[in-house]
Amino acid sequence: MRLYQSVGPNPRMAAMFIAEKGVTIERIFLDILSGENRQDDFLAKNPRGGSPCLELDDGSFLDESVAICEYLEERFPSPPLIGTNAEERAQARAAIRWVDQQIVVPMTNGFRSAEGLPMFQPRMLCVPEASDGNKAYARDGLEKADIRLAGQDYLCGNRFTLADILLFSFVEFGATVGQPIPEGCNNLKAWQARVASRPSAEISANPKNGL
């Protein structure tokens, strides 16, 4: 297998997941700022040009970060980062979807239509007038996450899962693009510090680590 990765929260999520698994996968860095992921050789692998992208042993490709992590969970089930039974897996997947809908989607759209507009407008729909609204949705999602984390270490109680990796990757990203954790969200801030102390967080902070 090979993982094509770059800067950004989704590639960080995949890199952090791999680090938690403790597996060795060949990784190739893509310079998305120079448009390397839009060149013909990479588009032949992934026509959507997204990062991360996992090349499988049979030469096929996966290009969605959650799908990549789901696949790696099945290939390398220990330590479990989704679950060991149907109930645990369902709980983690529900949390993943919640984070994606409440935080990731509006935060990403808010960024693409404002600070990221010069990069994204030439190749996808961006709605600048919707940026403030999307950022408000994301801020509300972060506040809801703070409530959800009250009295527990992680999104799924005492289990560290892919849902936490997803949320952490975007909380860290949000802090760099003007969408930080809202004031007063002390549960979320304590959770962020807890996750940041994991070796996988430091390893994944630099997309060129391990290359």
Side-chain angles (χ1 to χ4, degrees):
M1 289 187 289
R2 294 186 186 90
L3 181 73
Y4 294 84
Q5 65 182 71
S6 65
V7 296
N10 284 305
R12 182 174 189 182
M13 174 186 167
M16 188 170 176
F17 190 89
I18 290 169
E20 286 282 342
K21 286 291 182 182
V23 299
T24 300
I25 295 176
E26 180 183 356
R27 291 188 285 161
I28 299 170
F29 181 77
L30 297 170
D31 185 355
I32 61 173
L33 297 180
S34 69
E36 188 176 1
N37 59 316
R38 300 289 158 185
Q39 301 304 310
D40 290 344
D41 58 343
F42 184 68
L43 291 176
K45 301 176 177 67
N46 177 14
R48 286 176 287 278
S51 171
C53 178
L54 182 67
E55 182 177 358
L56 307 185
D57 294 337
D58 65 0
S60 61
F61 295 88
L62 289 174
D63 69 338
E64 290 292 336
S65 55
V66 171
I68 288 170
C69 294
E70 289 260 9
Y71 173 80
L72 293 174
E73 176 87 351
E74 293 195 27
R75 285 286 305 270
F76 309 101
S78 182
L81 292 172
I82 297 177
T84 59
N85 55 48
E87 290 77 17
E88 287 184 353
R89 289 190 290 271
Q91 184 186 35
R93 286 167 178 150
I96 292 165
R97 179 164 174 78
W98 185 86
V99 171
D100 198 40
Q101 294 295 312
Q102 297 288 324
I103 298 167
V104 172
V105 171
M107 180 182 285
T108 302
N109 284 333
F111 167 72
R112 286 173 178 166
S113 294
E115 295 85 356
L117 192 63
M119 176 184 290
F120 291 99
Q121 193 172 38
R123 57 186 175 84
M124 64 174 57
L125 176 66
C126 297
V127 186
E129 59 269 29
S131 178
D132 288 344
N134 274 302
K135 291 180 179 181
Y137 280 126
R139 185 167 57 251
D140 180 68
L142 292 170
E143 291 169 348
K144 288 176 179 174
D146 180 74
I147 296 171
R148 182 170 181 151
L149 286 163
Q152 60 188 53
D153 287 343
Y154 302 111
L155 290 170
C156 294
N158 63 356
R159 288 194 303 125
F160 180 76
T161 70
L162 176 56
D164 296 288
I165 296 175
L166 173 61
L167 179 58
F168 180 77
S169 298
F170 278 86
V171 164
E172 295 277 291
F173 170 70
T176 69
V177 295
Q179 298 186 64
I181 293 175
E183 288 298 321
C185 290
N186 296 325
N187 297 320
L188 185 56
K189 289 179 180 179
W191 166 90
Q192 181 188 25
R194 193 176 302 120
V195 178
S197 70
R198 302 178 74 92
S200 62
E202 182 176 355
I203 290 170
S204 63
N206 182 347
K208 291 189 177 181
N209 276 343
L211 296 178

mmCIF file of all heavy atoms in Angstrom, residues 9-46:
data_model
loop_
_atom_site.group_PDB
_atom_site.id
_atom_site.type_symbol
_atom_site.label_atom_id
_atom_site.label_comp_id
_atom_site.label_asym_id
_atom_site.label_seq_id
_atom_site.Cartn_x
_atom_site.Cartn_y
_atom_site.Cartn_z
ATOM 1 N N PRO A 9 -6.353 18.933 7.159
ATOM 2 C CA PRO A 9 -6.922 18.121 8.238
ATOM 3 C C PRO A 9 -7.254 16.689 7.847
ATOM 4 O O PRO A 9 -7.099 15.774 8.667
ATOM 5 C CB PRO A 9 -8.178 18.902 8.634
ATOM 6 C CG PRO A 9 -8.538 19.707 7.421
ATOM 7 C CD PRO A 9 -7.228 20.064 6.786
ATOM 8 N N ASN A 10 -7.721 16.472 6.629
ATOM 9 C CA ASN A 10 -8.041 15.100 6.226
ATOM 10 C C ASN A 10 -6.796 14.226 6.118
ATOM 11 O O ASN A 10 -6.784 13.093 6.620
ATOM 12 C CB ASN A 10 -8.842 15.108 4.926
ATOM 13 C CG ASN A 10 -10.285 15.516 5.155
ATOM 14 O OD1 ASN A 10 -10.994 14.925 5.953
ATOM 15 N ND2 ASN A 10 -10.722 16.554 4.447
ATOM 16 N N PRO A 11 -5.720 14.689 5.472
ATOM 17 C CA PRO A 11 -4.495 13.897 5.475
ATOM 18 C C PRO A 11 -3.951 13.671 6.888
ATOM 19 O O PRO A 11 -3.438 12.593 7.193
ATOM 20 C CB PRO A 11 -3.532 14.727 4.628
ATOM 21 C CG PRO A 11 -4.413 15.530 3.739
ATOM 22 C CD PRO A 11 -5.606 15.857 4.572
ATOM 23 N N ARG A 12 -4.084 14.689 7.742
ATOM 24 C CA ARG A 12 -3.602 14.505 9.118
ATOM 25 C C ARG A 12 -4.393 13.402 9.813
ATOM 26 O O ARG A 12 -3.835 12.609 10.571
ATOM 27 C CB ARG A 12 -3.709 15.803 9.916
ATOM 28 C CG ARG A 12 -3.161 15.600 11.323
ATOM 29 C CD ARG A 12 -3.076 16.838 12.157
ATOM 30 N NE ARG A 12 -2.344 16.534 13.383
ATOM 31 C CZ ARG A 12 -2.124 17.413 14.349
ATOM 32 N NH1 ARG A 12 -2.568 18.662 14.234
ATOM 33 N NH2 ARG A 12 -1.461 17.053 15.440
ATOM 34 N N MET A 13 -5.681 13.376 9.574
ATOM 35 C CA MET A 13 -6.522 12.346 10.172
ATOM 36 C C MET A 13 -6.025 10.954 9.797
ATOM 37 O O MET A 13 -5.870 10.072 10.654
ATOM 38 C CB MET A 13 -7.960 12.544 9.698
ATOM 39 C CG MET A 13 -8.936 11.483 10.109
ATOM 40 S SD MET A 13 -10.518 11.817 9.287
ATOM 41 C CE MET A 13 -11.346 10.274 9.597
ATOM 42 N N ALA A 14 -5.745 10.729 8.516
ATOM 43 C CA ALA A 14 -5.254 9.428 8.067
ATOM 44 C C ALA A 14 -3.895 9.112 8.672
ATOM 45 O O ALA A 14 -3.646 7.982 9.113
ATOM 46 C CB ALA A 14 -5.185 9.387 6.545
ATOM 47 N N ALA A 15 -3.002 10.102 8.713
ATOM 48 C CA ALA A 15 -1.667 9.890 9.262
ATOM 49 C C ALA A 15 -1.734 9.574 10.755
ATOM 50 O O ALA A 15 -0.995 8.711 11.259
ATOM 51 C CB ALA A 15 -0.799 11.119 9.020
ATOM 52 N N MET A 16 -2.627 10.245 11.465
ATOM 53 C CA MET A 16 -2.771 10.001 12.899
ATOM 54 C C MET A 16 -3.350 8.618 13.155
ATOM 55 O O MET A 16 -2.936 7.917 14.083
ATOM 56 C CB MET A 16 -3.648 11.088 13.516
ATOM 57 C CG MET A 16 -3.716 11.058 15.030
ATOM 58 S SD MET A 16 -4.524 12.554 15.664
ATOM 59 C CE MET A 16 -4.552 12.161 17.424
ATOM 60 N N PHE A 17 -4.298 8.215 12.331
ATOM 61 C CA PHE A 17 -4.894 6.886 12.455
ATOM 62 C C PHE A 17 -3.834 5.813 12.248
ATOM 63 O O PHE A 17 -3.746 4.846 13.011
ATOM 64 C CB PHE A 17 -6.017 6.744 11.428
ATOM 65 C CG PHE A 17 -6.872 5.520 11.600
ATOM 66 C CD1 PHE A 17 -7.995 5.547 12.404
ATOM 67 C CD2 PHE A 17 -6.568 4.335 10.950
ATOM 68 C CE1 PHE A 17 -8.789 4.423 12.565
ATOM 69 C CE2 PHE A 17 -7.346 3.206 11.096
ATOM 70 C CZ PHE A 17 -8.470 3.248 11.904
ATOM 71 N N ILE A 18 -3.012 5.981 11.221
ATOM 72 C CA ILE A 18 -1.942 5.024 10.931
ATOM 73 C C ILE A 18 -0.949 4.965 12.089
ATOM 74 O O ILE A 18 -0.501 3.882 12.489
ATOM 75 C CB ILE A 18 -1.250 5.388 9.611
ATOM 76 C CG1 ILE A 18 -2.192 5.126 8.428
ATOM 77 C CG2 ILE A 18 0.055 4.612 9.438
ATOM 78 C CD1 ILE A 18 -1.707 5.703 7.119
ATOM 79 N N ALA A 19 -0.621 6.136 12.645
ATOM 80 C CA ALA A 19 0.304 6.170 13.778
ATOM 81 C C ALA A 19 -0.280 5.440 14.982
ATOM 82 O O ALA A 19 0.438 4.726 15.696
ATOM 83 C CB ALA A 19 0.635 7.614 14.141
ATOM 84 N N GLU A 20 -1.572 5.605 15.226
ATOM 85 C CA GLU A 20 -2.224 4.896 16.331
ATOM 86 C C GLU A 20 -2.195 3.389 16.104
ATOM 87 O O GLU A 20 -2.053 2.610 17.052
ATOM 88 C CB GLU A 20 -3.670 5.374 16.487
ATOM 89 C CG GLU A 20 -3.825 6.758 17.098
ATOM 90 C CD GLU A 20 -3.637 6.777 18.613
ATOM 91 O OE1 GLU A 20 -3.734 5.698 19.237
ATOM 92 O OE2 GLU A 20 -3.376 7.862 19.152
ATOM 93 N N LYS A 21 -2.329 2.985 14.856
ATOM 94 C CA LYS A 21 -2.301 1.561 14.537
ATOM 95 C C LYS A 21 -0.899 0.962 14.667
ATOM 96 O O LYS A 21 -0.739 -0.248 14.860
ATOM 97 C CB LYS A 21 -2.818 1.323 13.113
ATOM 98 C CG LYS A 21 -4.320 1.469 12.956
ATOM 99 C CD LYS A 21 -5.054 0.355 13.650
ATOM 100 C CE LYS A 21 -6.543 0.444 13.476
ATOM 101 N NZ LYS A 21 -7.262 -0.626 14.205
ATOM 102 N N GLY A 22 0.113 1.812 14.532
ATOM 103 C CA GLY A 22 1.478 1.320 14.627
ATOM 104 C C GLY A 22 1.914 0.511 13.428
ATOM 105 O O GLY A 22 2.815 -0.332 13.536
ATOM 106 N N VAL A 23 1.291 0.764 12.278
ATOM 107 C CA VAL A 23 1.664 0.042 11.069
ATOM 108 C C VAL A 23 2.543 0.924 10.185
ATOM 109 O O VAL A 23 2.518 2.161 10.290
ATOM 110 C CB VAL A 23 0.424 -0.428 10.273
ATOM 111 C CG1 VAL A 23 -0.416 -1.366 11.117
ATOM 112 C CG2 VAL A 23 -0.414 0.755 9.811
ATOM 113 N N THR A 24 3.325 0.290 9.334
ATOM 114 C CA THR A 24 4.208 1.010 8.419
ATOM 115 C C THR A 24 3.612 0.956 7.019
ATOM 116 O O THR A 24 3.412 -0.125 6.468
ATOM 117 C CB THR A 24 5.615 0.399 8.410
ATOM 118 O OG1 THR A 24 6.162 0.479 9.728
ATOM 119 C CG2 THR A 24 6.518 1.150 7.444
ATOM 120 N N ILE A 25 3.321 2.117 6.477
ATOM 121 C CA ILE A 25 2.779 2.227 5.123
ATOM 122 C C ILE A 25 3.617 3.252 4.365
ATOM 123 O O ILE A 25 3.876 4.344 4.885
ATOM 124 C CB ILE A 25 1.298 2.660 5.149
ATOM 125 C CG1 ILE A 25 0.440 1.579 5.819
ATOM 126 C CG2 ILE A 25 0.787 2.951 3.734
ATOM 127 C CD1 ILE A 25 -1.018 1.967 5.980
ATOM 128 N N GLU A 26 4.042 2.905 3.187
ATOM 129 C CA GLU A 26 4.787 3.857 2.364
ATOM 130 C C GLU A 26 3.933 5.098 2.130
ATOM 131 O O GLU A 26 2.744 4.999 1.818
ATOM 132 C CB GLU A 26 5.159 3.228 1.027
ATOM 133 C CG GLU A 26 5.943 4.176 0.124
ATOM 134 C CD GLU A 26 6.249 3.591 -1.240
ATOM 135 O OE1 GLU A 26 5.916 2.412 -1.470
ATOM 136 O OE2 GLU A 26 6.797 4.328 -2.080
ATOM 137 N N ARG A 27 4.560 6.265 2.299
ATOM 138 C CA ARG A 27 3.814 7.513 2.140
ATOM 139 C C ARG A 27 4.522 8.443 1.163
ATOM 140 O O ARG A 27 5.748 8.522 1.155
ATOM 141 C CB ARG A 27 3.608 8.195 3.494
ATOM 142 C CG ARG A 27 2.653 7.406 4.389
ATOM 143 C CD ARG A 27 2.295 8.159 5.639
ATOM 144 N NE ARG A 27 3.406 8.138 6.579
ATOM 145 C CZ ARG A 27 3.523 8.995 7.589
ATOM 146 N NH1 ARG A 27 2.625 9.944 7.750
ATOM 147 N NH2 ARG A 27 4.523 8.903 8.421
ATOM 148 N N ILE A 28 3.730 9.116 0.383
ATOM 149 C CA ILE A 28 4.237 10.039 -0.629
ATOM 150 C C ILE A 28 3.595 11.394 -0.393
ATOM 151 O O ILE A 28 2.363 11.505 -0.302
ATOM 152 C CB ILE A 28 3.919 9.531 -2.042
ATOM 153 C CG1 ILE A 28 4.603 8.171 -2.264
ATOM 154 C CG2 ILE A 28 4.357 10.548 -3.104
ATOM 155 C CD1 ILE A 28 4.170 7.475 -3.531
ATOM 156 N N PHE A 29 4.413 12.436 -0.291
ATOM 157 C CA PHE A 29 3.916 13.777 -0.011
ATOM 158 C C PHE A 29 3.553 14.493 -1.305
ATOM 159 O O PHE A 29 4.332 14.504 -2.259
ATOM 160 C CB PHE A 29 4.960 14.591 0.747
ATOM 161 C CG PHE A 29 4.497 15.985 1.089
ATOM 162 C CD1 PHE A 29 3.623 16.204 2.140
ATOM 163 C CD2 PHE A 29 4.930 17.067 0.345
ATOM 164 C CE1 PHE A 29 3.190 17.481 2.452
ATOM 165 C CE2 PHE A 29 4.515 18.353 0.649
ATOM 166 C CZ PHE A 29 3.635 18.558 1.709
ATOM 167 N N LEU A 30 2.356 15.083 -1.313
ATOM 168 C CA LEU A 30 1.892 15.882 -2.436
ATOM 169 C C LEU A 30 1.894 17.359 -2.042
ATOM 170 O O LEU A 30 1.346 17.723 -0.998
ATOM 171 C CB LEU A 30 0.465 15.487 -2.826
ATOM 172 C CG LEU A 30 0.246 14.059 -3.326
ATOM 173 C CD1 LEU A 30 -1.247 13.772 -3.421
ATOM 174 C CD2 LEU A 30 0.920 13.854 -4.674
ATOM 175 N N ASP A 31 2.484 18.193 -2.859
ATOM 176 C CA ASP A 31 2.471 19.639 -2.614
ATOM 177 C C ASP A 31 1.212 20.217 -3.252
ATOM 178 O O ASP A 31 1.207 20.602 -4.423
ATOM 179 C CB ASP A 31 3.727 20.278 -3.199
ATOM 180 C CG ASP A 31 3.825 21.764 -2.879
ATOM 181 O OD1 ASP A 31 2.866 22.313 -2.289
ATOM 182 O OD2 ASP A 31 4.850 22.374 -3.220
ATOM 183 N N ILE A 32 0.132 20.270 -2.477
ATOM 184 C CA ILE A 32 -1.141 20.737 -3.035
ATOM 185 C C ILE A 32 -1.127 22.244 -3.269
ATOM 186 O O ILE A 32 -1.910 22.753 -4.070
ATOM 187 C CB ILE A 32 -2.336 20.340 -2.153
ATOM 188 C CG1 ILE A 32 -2.225 20.958 -0.756
ATOM 189 C CG2 ILE A 32 -2.440 18.820 -2.061
ATOM 190 C CD1 ILE A 32 -3.464 20.746 0.105
ATOM 191 N N LEU A 33 -0.248 22.968 -2.579
ATOM 192 C CA LEU A 33 -0.195 24.417 -2.777
ATOM 193 C C LEU A 33 0.342 24.757 -4.167
ATOM 194 O O LEU A 33 -0.014 25.795 -4.735
ATOM 195 C CB LEU A 33 0.669 25.071 -1.692
ATOM 196 C CG LEU A 33 0.148 24.908 -0.262
ATOM 197 C CD1 LEU A 33 1.082 25.599 0.733
ATOM 198 C CD2 LEU A 33 -1.276 25.462 -0.124
ATOM 199 N N SER A 34 1.162 23.880 -4.701
ATOM 200 C CA SER A 34 1.670 24.096 -6.065
ATOM 201 C C SER A 34 0.828 23.363 -7.098
ATOM 202 O O SER A 34 1.129 23.407 -8.296
ATOM 203 C CB SER A 34 3.132 23.644 -6.164
ATOM 204 O OG SER A 34 3.222 22.231 -6.060
ATOM 205 N N GLY A 35 -0.215 22.648 -6.624
ATOM 206 C CA GLY A 35 -1.106 21.952 -7.549
ATOM 207 C C GLY A 35 -0.615 20.600 -8.006
ATOM 208 O O GLY A 35 -1.091 20.076 -9.021
ATOM 209 N N GLU A 36 0.300 20.004 -7.240
ATOM 210 C CA GLU A 36 0.834 18.701 -7.645
ATOM 211 C C GLU A 36 -0.265 17.647 -7.741
ATOM 212 O O GLU A 36 -0.196 16.735 -8.567
ATOM 213 C CB GLU A 36 1.910 18.253 -6.656
ATOM 214 C CG GLU A 36 2.658 17.007 -7.075
ATOM 215 C CD GLU A 36 3.778 16.645 -6.130
ATOM 216 O OE1 GLU A 36 3.987 17.354 -5.124
ATOM 217 O OE2 GLU A 36 4.450 15.626 -6.406
ATOM 218 N N ASN A 37 -1.283 17.788 -6.900
ATOM 219 C CA ASN A 37 -2.394 16.824 -6.925
ATOM 220 C C ASN A 37 -3.329 17.038 -8.103
ATOM 221 O O ASN A 37 -4.276 16.271 -8.292
ATOM 222 C CB ASN A 37 -3.191 16.908 -5.622
ATOM 223 C CG ASN A 37 -3.760 18.292 -5.376
ATOM 224 O OD1 ASN A 37 -3.082 19.305 -5.559
ATOM 225 N ND2 ASN A 37 -4.995 18.353 -4.933
ATOM 226 N N ARG A 38 -3.090 18.067 -8.889
ATOM 227 C CA ARG A 38 -3.910 18.342 -10.076
ATOM 228 C C ARG A 38 -3.186 17.990 -11.364
ATOM 229 O O ARG A 38 -3.674 18.311 -12.454
ATOM 230 C CB ARG A 38 -4.319 19.823 -10.103
ATOM 231 C CG ARG A 38 -5.125 20.258 -8.884
ATOM 232 C CD ARG A 38 -6.505 19.676 -8.884
ATOM 233 N NE ARG A 38 -7.083 19.655 -7.539
ATOM 234 C CZ ARG A 38 -8.257 19.111 -7.230
ATOM 235 N NH1 ARG A 38 -8.965 18.533 -8.183
ATOM 236 N NH2 ARG A 38 -8.702 19.118 -6.001
ATOM 237 N N GLN A 39 -2.035 17.370 -11.245
ATOM 238 C CA GLN A 39 -1.279 16.980 -12.428
ATOM 239 C C GLN A 39 -1.781 15.632 -12.948
ATOM 240 O O GLN A 39 -2.359 14.827 -12.227
ATOM 241 C CB GLN A 39 0.206 16.901 -12.100
ATOM 242 C CG GLN A 39 0.796 18.202 -11.578
ATOM 243 C CD GLN A 39 0.579 19.369 -12.526
ATOM 244 O OE1 GLN A 39 0.875 19.261 -13.717
ATOM 245 N NE2 GLN A 39 0.047 20.467 -12.016
ATOM 246 N N ASP A 40 -1.550 15.401 -14.234
ATOM 247 C CA ASP A 40 -2.120 14.225 -14.900
ATOM 248 C C ASP A 40 -1.718 12.907 -14.243
ATOM 249 O O ASP A 40 -2.522 11.980 -14.160
ATOM 250 C CB ASP A 40 -1.699 14.201 -16.374
ATOM 251 C CG ASP A 40 -2.386 15.303 -17.182
ATOM 252 O OD1 ASP A 40 -3.378 15.863 -16.685
ATOM 253 O OD2 ASP A 40 -1.920 15.588 -18.297
ATOM 254 N N ASP A 41 -0.465 12.815 -13.759
ATOM 255 C CA ASP A 41 -0.024 11.538 -13.208
ATOM 256 C C ASP A 41 -0.792 11.174 -11.945
ATOM 257 O O ASP A 41 -1.122 10.005 -11.722
ATOM 258 C CB ASP A 41 1.485 11.540 -12.955
ATOM 259 C CG ASP A 41 1.932 12.641 -12.021
ATOM 260 O OD1 ASP A 41 1.160 13.597 -11.807
ATOM 261 O OD2 ASP A 41 3.061 12.543 -11.495
ATOM 262 N N PHE A 42 -1.109 12.183 -11.114
ATOM 263 C CA PHE A 42 -1.887 11.878 -9.911
ATOM 264 C C PHE A 42 -3.369 11.730 -10.236
ATOM 265 O O PHE A 42 -4.050 10.869 -9.664
ATOM 266 C CB PHE A 42 -1.697 12.955 -8.840
ATOM 267 C CG PHE A 42 -2.419 12.624 -7.550
ATOM 268 C CD1 PHE A 42 -2.000 11.568 -6.760
ATOM 269 C CD2 PHE A 42 -3.527 13.349 -7.155
ATOM 270 C CE1 PHE A 42 -2.670 11.239 -5.578
ATOM 271 C CE2 PHE A 42 -4.202 13.032 -5.985
ATOM 272 C CZ PHE A 42 -3.772 11.979 -5.191
ATOM 273 N N LEU A 43 -3.876 12.534 -11.160
ATOM 274 C CA LEU A 43 -5.288 12.419 -11.528
ATOM 275 C C LEU A 43 -5.591 11.066 -12.159
ATOM 276 O O LEU A 43 -6.731 10.598 -12.092
ATOM 277 C CB LEU A 43 -5.679 13.551 -12.484
ATOM 278 C CG LEU A 43 -5.703 14.954 -11.864
ATOM 279 C CD1 LEU A 43 -5.998 16.003 -12.942
ATOM 280 C CD2 LEU A 43 -6.735 15.050 -10.749
ATOM 281 N N ALA A 44 -4.595 10.433 -12.740
ATOM 282 C CA ALA A 44 -4.797 9.082 -13.272
ATOM 283 C C ALA A 44 -5.052 8.090 -12.143
ATOM 284 O O ALA A 44 -5.737 7.079 -12.336
ATOM 285 C CB ALA A 44 -3.577 8.658 -14.084
ATOM 286 N N LYS A 45 -4.524 8.389 -10.969
ATOM 287 C CA LYS A 45 -4.755 7.549 -9.799
ATOM 288 C C LYS A 45 -6.057 7.930 -9.103
ATOM 289 O O LYS A 45 -6.837 7.076 -8.680
ATOM 290 C CB LYS A 45 -3.588 7.681 -8.816
ATOM 291 C CG LYS A 45 -2.217 7.297 -9.382
ATOM 292 C CD LYS A 45 -1.135 7.563 -8.351
ATOM 293 C CE LYS A 45 0.245 7.135 -8.838
ATOM 294 N NZ LYS A 45 0.731 7.948 -9.969
ATOM 295 N N ASN A 46 -6.267 9.227 -8.961
ATOM 296 C CA ASN A 46 -7.441 9.744 -8.251
ATOM 297 C C ASN A 46 -8.025 10.897 -9.053
ATOM 298 O O ASN A 46 -7.567 12.033 -8.928
ATOM 299 C CB ASN A 46 -7.042 10.210 -6.842
ATOM 300 C CG ASN A 46 -8.209 10.822 -6.090
ATOM 301 O OD1 ASN A 46 -9.361 10.687 -6.491
ATOM 302 N ND2 ASN A 46 -7.910 11.495 -4.996
#
